[in-house]
Amino acid sequence: MVQVQHRTEPHLQIQDIRTQIHAEMEHAYLSRWLPNPVLESLQLILASAMARAAGLSASERETLISTLMLIYHGLAMHDEIETLAAREDERYRQLGVLAGDYYSSKYYRLLAEAGLVPLVGTFARAIQTINEAKAELERDPLDFTMTPARYLELHTTIHGTLLHSLRTAFVSDQLHWDDTVTHLVRASILAKEWQRAPQIPVTRTMANLSVWQRANAEERKWWKQVVAGKSEDQNRLVSLHVKYGTSSTLFQQVEDEIGLVEHAVLLAGATECLEELRTVFDQLTEVRPIASRLGEEA
């Protein structure tokens, strides 16, 4: 674990950290073209909770959380390059690359100024792991033979590795944080997958992979035609999701993951942590109107 000096400083609110992160992201020219991203709340809340549980000072917490969020959104910005490249003005693609590099590169300075140089290597290894997982996901995005379990594992690596790096460095002696990070990240991924309505052209999602795994020979034949762009039958696509109950299955998985977090935290006697995470639980299980589910099962 990284050794830090614990000092008493004014209580640091998440809103204060948001302000600091946005200040670090601000760049006169880049911001004219690309707005600052909406900060990923789960990353922010979990990083803040772990830093507080470690007994870090307000300034140390601000540095660590800002560093993690800048790296996370720097990597996420690179995922948007294809979308930016579709715009008529070539500068969007170029500036998307620069913005991602700009966010990520700041972590060297922040950690050095805080005297946390050993964490530079820790986060660098995390970035490598994340990029390797992304590379596997992008290898053949229209290959639906990837299992839902592997898909979830790769996304858990992408969205959880930075948080686990922070956990290992500062709260590895508080064992409930391992399960808390792992299962809340999984719940967040599953919740986002659940909210994605079936649509053509099909993309590789948890729901679509689940349908492929369970589909019969005739349904798989039709699915291949959809992937090849030879069918645009939206109604049949939705009916397959209804038939195999993908929406309800994903939602149940979200609740199961949250249940595992609650069990781990209660077992550790960290009830204050549980109360802190209630808002996250509510956000992940918020039910959207059935009309927006394109006729999927309730």
Side-chain angles (χ1 to χ4, degrees), residues 131-143 146 150 154 204:
N131 283 332
E132 287 170 353
K134 287 185 175 182
E136 183 173 341
L137 272 176
E138 292 300 321
R139 190 168 298 146
D140 186 355
L142 294 180
D143 176 16
M146 176 181 285
R150 182 57 179 164
L154 290 171
R204 190 160 59 190

Side-chain angles (χ1 to χ4, degrees), residues 3-173:
Q3 298 298 314
V4 296
Q5 294 181 346
H6 302 312
R7 299 183 298 275
T8 301
E9 296 190 20
H11 183 64
L12 185 66
Q13 301 287 346
I14 283 185
Q15 186 54 46
D16 298 328
I17 301 173
R18 288 182 187 274
T19 300
Q20 175 61 27
I21 295 168
H22 281 303
E24 292 289 349
M25 288 178 168
E26 188 65 29
H27 184 281
Y29 185 68
L30 288 175
S31 299
R32 282 174 50 194
W33 290 82
L34 302 170
N36 288 339
V38 177
L39 299 182
E40 181 63 40
S41 62
L42 182 65
Q43 300 283 323
L44 185 58
I45 291 170
L46 280 177
S48 179
M50 284 190 288
R52 191 160 45 252
L56 305 184
S57 69
S59 62
E60 289 162 342
R61 296 201 305 273
E62 182 178 280
T63 296
L64 284 168
I65 298 163
S66 297
T67 298
L68 184 145
M69 296 301 292
L70 284 165
I71 297 172
Y72 181 85
H73 283 288
L75 294 173
M77 178 62 73
H78 286 158
D79 295 338
E80 299 298 318
I81 299 304
E82 186 175 338
T83 300
L84 293 171
R87 298 193 181 188
E88 185 174 341
D89 195 321
E90 170 67 12
R91 280 177 291 186
Y92 279 103
R93 185 194 67 80
Q94 296 171 339
L95 291 174
V97 174
L98 288 173
D101 291 343
Y102 179 67
Y103 299 161
S104 297
S105 65
K106 284 201 166 189
Y107 85 90
Y108 298 104
R109 175 181 60 79
L110 289 172
L111 293 178
E113 289 177 351
L116 296 170
V117 175
L119 283 178
V120 172
T122 298
F123 281 124
R125 288 188 291 273
I127 292 169
Q128 177 183 339
T129 299
I130 291 167
N131 283 332
E132 287 170 353
K134 287 185 175 182
E136 183 173 341
L137 272 176
E138 292 300 321
R139 190 168 298 146
D140 186 355
L142 294 180
D143 176 16
F144 288 88
T145 61
M146 176 181 285
T147 66
R150 182 57 179 164
Y151 178 90
L152 180 58
E153 181 183 359
L154 290 171
H155 277 278
T156 302
T157 296
I158 291 166
H159 298 289
T161 298
L162 289 171
L163 289 168
H164 276 298
S165 296
L166 192 64
R167 174 190 64 79
T168 301
F170 294 101
V171 290
S172 61
D173 57 330

Side-chain angles (χ1 to χ4, degrees), residues 144 193 195-205 207-208 222-223 226-227 231-239 241 292-294 296:
F144 288 88
E193 294 288 324
Q195 291 168 356
R196 296 169 70 174
Q199 59 184 357
I200 290 177
V202 295
T203 56
R204 190 160 59 190
T205 65
N208 285 340
W222 175 81
W223 192 275
V226 173
V227 172
S231 175
E232 296 184 356
D233 189 347
Q234 178 74 31
N235 291 332
R236 183 168 190 187
L237 177 64
V238 172
S239 70
H241 283 278
S292 71
R293 303 297 301 144
L294 289 183
E296 280 199 83

